[in-house]
Amino acid sequence: MNSREWHLVRRPTGRPDEADVALVTVEVPEPAPGELLVRNDVMSVEPYMRGRMSDGPSYAEPYALNAPMTGHAVGEVVASGDADVPVGARVLHELGWRELAVVPTSAARVLPDLDVPPSSWLGVLGLTGFTAYAGLLTVAAAKPGDTVFVSAAAGAVGATAAQIAKAMGCTVIGSAGSEAKVRYLVDELGLDAAFSHREPSVRAALKDALGRAGTDGIDVYFDNVGGEQLECALRHMRLFGRLALCGAIATYDATEPVPGPRNLLLLIWRRLRMEGFLVGDHEAARPAFERVMAGWLAEGRVRSVETVQEGGIDQAWRAFTAMLDGENVGKMVVPLCG
Amino acid sequence: MNSREWHLVRRPTGRPDEADVALVTVEVPEPAPGELLVRNDVMSVEPYMRGRMSDGPSYAEPYALNAPMTGHAVGEVVASGDADVPVGARVLHELGWRELAVVPTSAARVLPDLDVPPSSWLGVLGLTGFTAYAGLLTVAAAKPGDTVFVSAAAGAVGATAAQIAKAMGCTVIGSAGSEAKVRYLVDELGLDAAFSHREPSVRAALKDALGRAGTDGIDVYFDNVGGEQLECALRHMRLFGRLALCGAIATYDATEPVPGPRNLLLLIWRRLRMEGFLVGDHEAARPAFERVMAGWLAEGRVRSVETVQEGGIDQAWRAFTAMLDGENVGKMVVPLCG
């Protein structure tokens, strides 16, 4: 059977470009024993993929050149080399960026039969949602009553973190990249205040948003962007505040190292804790997360926020660069063969 | 009775200058009820005092202009307005920078009768030693077997932190500002390796020192200086490392905000925790610290490291600027009327 898949053919310098990748048609073999042939329903594109396209030091292996890129996808088993996984089973795995995937059974998770769309397992019920949950609760130790600031709050992780914080009883401020997203955060997701990081002064915009939310300081900063917003957040942190560093999308395309915030001394004066985290270290809390999140979804306290890029595998690269440009609200997903 | 005291008469811009202060002779009254008249034996000069000379945002009140500066001192009660504190008692208090001090009893601590020089209460047994202890054990959670890097390791807090880490069974690397101090750290205090931050490349010097100590990464960084050494330390932090930010003497004289490290993304990739602290928040652990430190001193596992500026109150300002210039090893103390 033939399948199409996206290969990285050149490492991007700065902003990724279409010449960095190629859509390649390959022949897919029958699954060997212990393997599954999966027809992917839907894949996601995510900021961390930008990091894997470079070969500098990072937490993840760089993508190989002239080979398919990887990433989360949900699909249906169409041929099985494992007696325990029947044809027709729906699985979550990491061989996205392609229509058909041959997945070792050990690298596939058969999904429970919950009444949610498959794409939820890429977003709010998946690593995205779990990242928001672990960062907010375990790393930043958010408590009801805290003021929580989430940057890129209309992004996949951010929209979930902001909703979890609201569900917990926090005052929540969010930033996003357009006025439409800002309205969405307040009107649809119920944030106490939001602002656009494209305003002339991020510093003034954050201060005004705190005022509109009726608060004068931040207890928890959930940082998805780094750069200027981190510096501005530090300025408003309360004593003993916690900063969970989840990502730094503002700096990923930089070709020169980006200086850190100029006010790090505030860490001492205000006894702040700044901690980076990767969701993979928190696996032990995953079952609790899935239980709690399924409850919040059922109650409508958290919703799955997604932007769908139509057009199948052809449009996956466009979806990725659109996500980097901030065109998405919530998780950016690409239906493939569904 | 007449006493001489140092007043701040102008806020320093950048490097403090003798024209910023004045040595003033004042008449000291008899102590009122609830007060003690103390003849100061010895005072200390400390980096945090530089911060209090400015009126920017900080954790401590700025020094008032045209009034005596403050700081820790140990002295003998020469007249008492409190029946519970007899003349002749030795007290620790915060009205240094002067020969005679009128101290409210509530702001003086009568010292226990341990067989140590009075200046020990300004250094290894005082807030200096407790800062090292709390930062290393509580904030950075250092454990036996860890590799610990201490910057400004020949400074007052640094020399104590480095010795505590050695006493605990850590591998310890220290930085200092001269080759003589580097030799002192290795030959006298028993550090596994040390280097001068004045070498052409701090980055190379730290890497070499790690090699000499037989280790390839840092678990705990006890940061007294900020700036370039913080960036270099981040580069070598191991997964799940902890950075306790105690001070940033490299940046105190800056007239423009100093950019933070360019490699903060490592906090995420390596899941690092960076936390600022002030010793005042750790008061509950103080009795345990004094007990443990008295034991280490008695066993000779930690020694009191001091530089003594002779010449009495006249030379206190010189002692302060010399300390900023790094002329001291360990605590810089100034005997006054002793």
Side-chain angles (χ1 to χ4, degrees):
Chain A
M1 276 192 281
N2 282 348
S3 167
R4 287 175 299 164
E5 56 189 36
W6 284 96
H7 290 200
L8 184 70
V9 298
R10 185 179 76 179
R11 302 209 177 277
T13 306
R15 177 76 165 69
D17 184 280
E18 195 150 358
D20 299 324
V21 291
L23 184 61
V24 176
T25 300
V26 297
E27 195 168 334
V28 176
E30 285 297 305
E35 291 181 340
L36 309 170
L37 179 62
V38 178
R39 191 180 61 215
N40 285 331
D41 295 321
V42 60
M43 64 171 271
S44 56
V45 292
E46 322 205 12
Y48 80 83
M49 292 169 172
R50 173 64 188 86
R52 297 194 63 182
M53 291 173 192
S54 299
D55 58 3
S58 175
Y59 60 89
E61 280 294 294
Y63 287 142
L65 287 178
N66 303 307
M69 296 185 288
T70 59
H72 283 99
V74 172
E76 187 181 333
V77 175
V78 292
S80 177
D82 186 318
D84 291 337
V85 184
V87 168
R90 197 156 300 245
V91 293
L92 174 66
H93 61 91
E94 297 195 35
L95 299 182
W97 287 106
R98 68 199 82 181
E99 293 174 305
L100 293 172
V102 176
V103 187
T105 317
S106 58
R109 175 179 172 198
V110 178
L111 290 172
D113 193 18
L114 284 189
D115 183 23
V116 294
S119 58
S120 302
W121 293 102
L122 302 175
V124 70
L125 270 170
L127 276 186
T128 295
F130 187 40
T131 299
Y133 181 91
L136 204 57
L137 289 165
T138 306
V139 181
K143 301 179 305 297
D146 278 351
T147 294
V148 175
F149 169 40
V150 180
S151 56
V157 171
T160 312
Q163 291 184 88
I164 293 174
K166 280 305 297 176
M168 283 174 60
C170 300
T171 298
V172 183
I173 287 110
S175 67
S178 73
E179 284 307 323
K181 289 180 181 179
V182 165
R183 280 193 301 277
Y184 179 86
L185 292 174
V186 174
D187 296 345
E188 298 296 322
L189 300 188
L191 270 62
D192 297 277
F195 67 92
S196 165
H197 70 253
R198 299 188 204 274
E199 287 198 25
S201 165
V202 170
R203 188 166 145 176
L206 172 57
K207 190 176 177 198
D208 290 350
L210 287 166
R212 288 197 300 282
T215 179
D216 64 353
I218 301 167
D219 299 295
V220 166
Y221 175 41
F222 193 106
D223 184 19
N224 292 303
V225 304
E228 186 181 12
Q229 290 192 66
L230 174 56
E231 183 170 296
C232 292
L234 277 168
R235 198 178 165 81
H236 289 285
M237 293 302 292
R238 289 199 177 116
L239 294 186
F240 303 105
R242 290 86 62 200
L243 300 94
L245 305 193
C246 178
I249 197 168
T251 70
Y252 289 165
D253 282 352
T255 49
E256 291 292 319
V258 177
R262 290 168 298 181
N263 51 2
L264 272 190
L265 261 180
L266 291 176
L267 262 64
I268 303 179
W269 297 344
R270 301 196 191 149
R271 292 83 111 190
L272 306 176
R273 188 178 78 206
M274 184 151 96
E275 188 165 350
F277 73 102
L278 294 178
V279 69
D281 299 320
H282 298 269
E283 203 52 42
R286 182 92 87 108
F289 155 73
E290 288 186 357
R291 203 167 50 238
V292 171
M293 182 56 83
W296 279 332
L297 287 168
E299 293 165 20
R301 306 187 74 182
V302 173
R303 63 170 87 168
S304 177
V305 182
E306 291 176 5
T307 298
V308 178
Q309 170 70 59
E310 301 291 356
I313 189 75
D314 289 289
Q315 296 303 313
W317 179 254
R318 204 209 87 78
F320 174 69
T321 57
M323 181 273 305
L324 288 183
D325 290 340
E327 290 183 22
N328 57 309
V329 174
K331 194 75 184 179
M332 181 70 120
V333 295
V334 187
L336 296 172
C337 320
Chain B
M1 275 191 282
N2 282 348
S3 167
R4 287 176 297 164
E5 56 190 36
W6 284 96
H7 289 199
L8 185 69
V9 298
R10 187 179 75 179
R11 302 210 177 277
T13 306
R15 178 75 163 70
D17 185 279
E18 193 150 0
D20 299 325
V21 290
L23 184 60
V24 176
T25 300
V26 297
E27 195 169 333
V28 177
E30 285 296 304
E35 291 181 341
L36 309 170
L37 179 63
V38 178
R39 191 181 61 215
N40 284 331
D41 295 321
V42 60
M43 64 171 272
S44 57
V45 292
E46 321 205 13
Y48 80 83
M49 293 169 172
R50 173 64 189 87
R52 298 194 64 182
M53 292 173 192
S54 299
D55 59 2
S58 174
Y59 60 89
E61 281 292 294
Y63 287 141
L65 288 178
N66 302 307
M69 296 186 288
T70 59
H72 283 98
V74 172
E76 188 182 334
V77 175
V78 292
S80 176
D82 186 317
D84 291 337
V85 185
V87 168
R90 196 156 300 244
V91 293
L92 173 68
H93 61 91
E94 298 194 36
L95 299 183
W97 288 104
R98 69 200 81 183
E99 293 175 304
L100 292 174
V102 176
V103 187
T105 316
S106 59
R109 176 179 172 195
V110 177
L111 291 172
D113 193 18
L114 285 187
D115 184 24
V116 295
S119 58
S120 302
W121 293 102
L122 302 175
V124 71
L125 270 171
L127 277 185
T128 294
F130 187 40
T131 299
Y133 180 91
L136 204 58
L137 289 164
T138 307
V139 181
K143 301 179 304 297
D146 279 351
T147 294
V148 175
F149 169 41
V150 180
S151 57
V157 170
T160 312
Q163 291 184 87
I164 293 174
K166 281 304 298 176
M168 283 174 59
C170 300
T171 298
V172 182
I173 287 110
S175 66
S178 73
E179 285 306 325
K181 289 180 181 179
V182 165
R183 279 193 301 277
Y184 180 85
L185 292 174
V186 175
D187 296 344
E188 298 296 322
L189 299 188
L191 270 62
D192 297 278
F195 66 93
S196 165
H197 69 253
R198 298 188 205 274
E199 288 199 23
S201 165
V202 169
R203 187 167 146 177
L206 173 57
K207 191 176 177 198
D208 290 349
L210 287 165
R212 287 197 301 281
T215 179
D216 63 353
I218 300 167
D219 299 293
V220 166
Y221 175 41
F222 193 106
D223 185 19
N224 291 303
V225 305
E228 186 180 12
Q229 290 192 64
L230 174 56
E231 183 170 297
C232 292
L234 276 168
R235 198 178 164 82
H236 289 284
M237 293 302 293
R238 288 200 177 118
L239 295 186
F240 303 104
R242 289 88 61 200
L243 301 93
L245 305 193
C246 179
I249 197 168
T251 70
Y252 289 165
D253 283 351
T255 49
E256 291 292 319
V258 177
R262 290 169 298 183
N263 51 2
L264 271 190
L265 261 179
L266 291 176
L267 261 64
I268 302 179
W269 296 345
R270 301 196 192 149
R271 293 83 110 189
L272 306 176
R273 187 178 80 205
M274 184 152 95
E275 188 166 351
F277 74 102
L278 294 178
V279 69
D281 299 321
H282 298 268
E283 203 52 41
R286 182 93 85 107
F289 155 73
E290 288 187 358
R291 203 167 50 240
V292 171
M293 182 55 84
W296 279 331
L297 286 169
E299 292 165 20
R301 305 187 75 181
V302 174
R303 63 170 88 167
S304 178
V305 181
E306 292 174 7
T307 299
V308 177
Q309 169 70 58
E310 301 291 355
I313 189 75
D314 290 287
Q315 297 302 313
W317 179 255
R318 204 208 86 79
F320 174 69
T321 56
M323 182 273 305
L324 288 183
D325 291 340
E327 291 182 22
N328 57 308
V329 175
K331 195 74 182 179
M332 181 69 120
V333 295
V334 186
L336 296 173
C337 319

